Amino acid sequence: MNRILITGALGQLGSALLKHYHDKGIFVLATDIHECPKGLVYNYEKLDALNFEGLLDVVKKYEINVIYHLAAILSAKGEKNPFHSWKINMDTFQNIVDVSLKCKIERVFWPSSIAVFGKDSNLEYVPQNSLMNPTTLYGVSKLAGEKLMNYYFEKYQLDIRSIRFPGIISMDTKPGGGVTDYIIEMLNASKKGNEYICFLDKNQRLPMIFMEDVISAITLLMSKKRSVLSISSSYNIVGFTTTPEECLLAIKSNGINLKVHYKPDFRQKIANTWPENVDDSLASKDWGWSPKFGLDKTVKIALNG
Ligand code: AKB
């Protein structure tokens, strides 16, 4: 039986994974840098993943054998203080690797991102193995993590698994400083009856995925025997692709007359270097990935949730 530790557990992905495993009756320990939120029903330890000794203590104390390392600074926020972002993203990664080797952790999940790609990646439809010249510090740190997970697997057989996530759509937590956050902000504005100022161009196409598909993908990948995985790096996946304008149309088709103003800012420059779509056929072939939620279904659920 698995005993799971999640870092960054109060974030967008962490909260959803926490609920998923808790509801399944699997032991899961949530950790994050914040004080335990009032009324939280999960096992919780306040822990900064930069604190190696603290991490080691918690892993030993709770007899953890699987880690989901989600603590990270995202793309747009990362650009505000690149040195700090590198430290958070890479030193915590190294701590997780070190603790995992010391405590013989069986499996680690670590999310990568479409931010690993860049202008030379055939952005209309990025293959699994593409040229990768990321433009953000976040993208550089994710690419470094991908190289390291391969290295640690070859050198120590440390089983780290990973997915390159597109923009993740969920309504339960606040957006966390990403370029793809516009879609969540637009959906929230629709629910509140506010106007929305979009920081991307109305025709900027980006890949997206609904949270339920994210949870299916992660749990599927983590459930497979290592021998079915043909790469020891990160897999491309996509739910659907959309632009702000298409998203607005989908919102309007639910009877909501949202007004959107377009004022592209520095995030548009980042989006210009990100994929419009990615080829996720290797994930389908190796571990059976297949998305269930398109734009219309996602928008409908998000608006009614
Ligand atoms: C971001 O926009 O930074 C993230 C991502 C695509 O990794 N949502």
Side-chain angles (χ1 to χ4, degrees), residues 14-188:
S15 324
L17 263 180
L18 195 53
K19 180 170 177 349
H20 172 82
Y21 284 123
H22 179 263
D23 291 353
K24 286 219 149 0
I26 295 171
F27 175 84
V28 55
L29 174 69
T31 67
D32 208 302
I33 50 169
H34 305 290
E35 291 298 338
C36 182
K38 273 207 182 101
L40 194 80
V41 295
Y42 309 112
N43 303 303
Y44 187 85
E45 292 268 0
K46 181 180 174 207
L47 176 70
D48 184 344
L50 285 171
N51 173 1
F52 176 75
E53 292 303 329
L55 197 57
L56 191 62
D57 284 352
V58 155
V59 167
K60 285 184 180 160
K61 178 173 161 195
Y62 291 94
E63 298 173 355
I64 297 298
N65 65 341
V66 177
I67 299 180
Y68 288 76
H69 177 43
L70 310 180
I73 308 268
L74 295 186
S75 56
K77 194 169 169 198
E79 291 309 289
K80 303 229 154 106
N81 191 344
F83 280 40
H84 175 69
S85 309
W86 177 261
K87 188 173 169 56
I88 302 285
N89 293 359
M90 295 322 295
D91 289 2
T92 62
F93 183 95
Q94 291 291 89
N95 279 349
I96 294 291
V97 168
D98 200 350
V99 164
S100 298
L101 291 173
K102 282 203 167 65
C103 300
K104 300 196 170 26
I105 294 297
E106 290 164 27
R107 226 160 256 190
V108 177
F109 181 82
W110 171 78
S112 185
S113 161
I114 55 165
V116 293
F117 301 117
K119 283 264 190 211
D120 317 311
S121 305
N122 186 35
L123 294 179
E124 272 175 31
Y125 192 58
V126 181
Q128 172 67 37
N129 280 317
S130 143
L131 264 181
M132 287 182 241
N133 289 316
T135 50
T136 56
L137 192 286
Y138 173 65
V140 173
S141 67
K142 289 295 181 189
L143 183 55
E146 287 195 13
K147 300 291 179 200
L148 285 171
M149 59 182 276
N150 181 59
Y151 174 81
Y152 289 123
F153 179 67
E154 295 298 329
K155 188 151 177 98
Y156 302 116
Q157 292 73 55
L158 179 61
D159 188 357
I160 309 183
R161 301 180 182 200
S162 178
I163 291 172
R164 291 177 185 141
F165 284 113
I168 299 177
I169 302 167
S170 67
M171 302 304 284
D172 302 333
T173 49
K174 278 200 189 141
V179 168
T180 55
D181 289 356
Y182 85 83
I183 193 160
I184 302 177
E185 292 178 1
M186 196 187 270
L187 287 160
N188 275 325

Side-chain angles (χ1 to χ4, degrees), residues 211-226:
M211 185 61 93
E212 269 191 60
D213 270 338
V214 169
I215 299 298
S216 309
I218 295 176
T219 50
L220 194 59
L221 174 62
M222 289 296 273
S223 71
K224 295 293 174 186
K225 279 200 193 120
R226 181 80 204 194

Side-chain angles (χ1 to χ4, degrees), residues 244-268:
E245 198 67 354
E246 284 174 7
C247 182
L248 177 60
L249 284 177
I251 289 170
K252 285 187 168 165
S253 74
N254 285 271
I256 297 173
N257 194 21
L258 177 69
K259 197 153 181 51
V260 176
H261 309 276
Y262 293 95
K263 287 205 179 134
D265 64 16
F266 73 100
R267 289 168 278 192
Q268 178 58 49

